[in-house]
Amino acid sequence: MRLCRFADRLGLVTGDTVTDVTAALAALPAQHYPFPRGDLLIENLPALAAPIAAAARDGRRHALKDLTLVSPVANAGKVVAAPVNYRNHLDEARSDPGIHHQREVAEIQRVGLFLKAASSIAGPGDGITIRHPDRRTDHEIELAVVIGAAADRVTRADAMRHVAGYCIGLDITVRGPEERSLRKSVDSYTTLGPWLVTADEIADPGALDLMLAVNGETRQQANTRDLIIGIPELIAFASSFYTLLPGDVLLTGTPEGVGPIVPGDLIEATISGIGTMQVKVRAAAPR
Ligand code: MN
């Protein structure tokens, strides 16, 4: 299944068509305050397959191009991110003072993972709103793994059973000396989209092509087979520190070719097996 969200609606994507399957959400369990952590839809995805199929039979159909897509994950609790997880990007980060800012760029095995604020998540239709136009702000395309079932100290062998699906992630980054979590947690600096592809549709997430272009110029091109630490290892490692909950997002790291974006730019990001999304970059309105 390919599930997208637009306005407050849930859509099933087939080719260039989106069928409104919002009616299937009635099958979700009722919740009351204090709401449990995690994303209710992602957590209940297996049970929702039949209601979604039923809703799709007479759901309203839209042309994909007519919709403004928001993040396919509505209520992520945390965004876990791998700092430098492609060999060529490690070399690039070490050689560019605009990226490393006089800090040592260490291998992921030593630095571990970091967290981005969940409030930084936006969808492709929301675009990226640049808050610090005087600072270098870079694009990073990454395979985003969406957790479907709670993972607490899981083994590498058991890790993939906890994955709900995948989407394209953009880890937008203000370069500078401050902590990563600050520079990468600006509102709209985690783009997720264009939709969630459920795990059953991706035979091998460790063999996906990634491509990112800005204004038609290719900047990043790689394959997830070149990840230094693979997806099962990332999940096992993250879950050794904190429980991963349904709707949590794991950004797996970016390959070489990161570069600046400015208001007016148009990003096109593609991952094979998932799709393509276009994301506009704009300036924040003054306050
Ligand atoms: Mn990144």
Side-chain angles (χ1 to χ4, degrees):
M1 274 192 299
R2 298 178 168 212
L3 293 172
C4 71
R5 294 177 57 246
F6 55 104
D8 286 329
R9 316 297 296 179
L10 182 68
L12 180 66
V13 182
T14 42
D16 293 334
T17 303
V18 176
T19 305
D20 191 318
V21 292
T22 309
L25 298 177
L28 290 175
Q31 283 196 326
H32 305 281
Y33 181 85
F35 303 110
R37 288 180 175 156
D39 186 287
L40 190 66
L41 170 62
I42 304 288
E43 181 174 13
N44 290 280
L45 219 42
L48 241 59
I52 287 173
R57 280 195 280 277
D58 47 21
R60 188 174 166 195
R61 283 168 171 71
H62 301 271
L64 188 55
K65 63 176 172 51
D66 294 338
L67 301 180
T68 300
L69 299 183
V70 299
S71 165
V73 184
N75 293 300
K78 56 185 172 292
V79 180
V80 179
V84 182
N85 201 19
Y86 286 85
R87 187 76 226 173
N88 290 341
H89 177 53
L90 178 64
D91 298 338
E92 166 184 74
R94 282 175 166 163
S95 63
D96 184 346
I99 297 178
H100 64 63
H101 279 265
Q102 315 312 322
R103 270 187 319 256
E104 178 199 17
V105 181
E107 287 91 351
I108 183 169
Q109 292 92 335
R110 283 185 51 213
V111 290
L113 302 167
F114 65 94
L115 292 171
K116 301 185 72 167
S119 53
S120 66
I121 294 175
D126 300 313
I128 295 163
T129 303
I130 301 289
R131 283 227 189 168
H132 300 284
D134 52 322
R135 308 269 306 261
R136 174 173 162 182
T137 303
D138 282 4
H139 57 76
E140 299 187 351
I141 185 174
E142 317 201 359
L143 175 66
V145 179
V146 179
I147 298 298
D152 175 13
R153 291 161 286 175
V154 299
T155 63
R156 181 190 178 285
D158 197 33
M160 299 310 283
R161 293 199 305 110
H162 299 79
V163 174
Y166 304 90
C167 49
I168 305 173
L170 300 182
D171 175 18
I172 304 301
T173 304
V174 180
R175 298 298 173 195
E178 306 96 332
E179 287 283 343
R180 277 193 177 94
S181 65
L182 180 73
R183 294 182 286 105
K184 291 169 172 274
S185 287
V186 180
D187 291 1
S188 81
Y189 281 22
T190 303
T191 314
L192 296 179
W195 38 72
L196 177 80
V197 179
T198 50
D200 57 294
E201 292 204 8
I202 305 270
D204 184 2
L208 302 178
D209 290 317
L210 299 80
M211 195 278 291
L212 182 141
V214 178
N215 305 328
E217 175 204 337
T218 301
R219 296 256 188 102
Q220 295 186 272
Q221 202 158 21
N223 187 285
T224 52
R225 78 171 68 89
D226 295 323
L227 285 166
I228 296 171
I229 296 186
I231 295 158
E233 293 86 351
L234 285 172
I235 293 170
F237 179 76
S239 78
S240 74
F241 282 83
Y242 32 61
T243 301
L244 300 171
L245 294 170
D248 282 357
V249 176
L250 175 62
L251 294 176
T252 52
T254 201
E256 71 277 16
V258 303
I261 49 173
V262 294
D265 282 348
L266 179 68
I267 296 174
E268 185 170 280
T270 300
I271 298 184
S272 57
I274 299 177
T276 296
M277 64 180 186
Q278 295 195 325
V279 185
K280 288 180 179 161
V281 183
R282 63 175 70 89
R287 298 212 60 130

